Amino acid sequence: MRVYGEREKSPEVRLKEKDKRRAAYYRFYTDMKWGDAANYHIALDSGVIGIEKCAEIIESLA
């Protein structure tokens, strides 16, 4: 809030607005849905399998 000087909006509101703009930008230039795992060659959930396992998987693909 200090950096951007926006005191009237909560950080959560600002993040939602930014994400909405990012999604619109992505959709406009790619014709694909923002955040859809099908748009990526690989999608890993580090919350489920852990960061170390994700790193191992990515390394094995390289």
Side-chain angles (χ1 to χ4, degrees):
M1 289 177 65
R2 243 179 281 135
V3 173
Y4 295 105
E6 294 186 28
R7 298 174 198 271
E8 70 277 358
K9 295 179 186 175
S10 71
E12 293 83 5
V13 170
R14 287 189 63 246
L15 287 174
K16 284 182 183 179
E17 289 175 355
K18 275 189 172 283
D19 283 346
K20 187 175 180 180
R21 285 193 300 264
R22 285 184 182 126
Y25 179 91
Y26 184 82
R27 188 173 44 254
F28 180 82
Y29 287 103
T30 67
D31 268 338
M32 294 188 274
K33 183 180 176 192
W34 171 266
D36 187 349
N39 298 336
Y40 302 93
H41 295 292
I42 184 171
L44 303 171
D45 188 342
S46 62
V48 173
I49 63 176
I51 293 174
E52 292 297 321
K53 187 64 177 173
C54 287
E56 290 174 21
I57 293 168
I58 294 167
E59 184 179 27
S60 72
L61 295 172

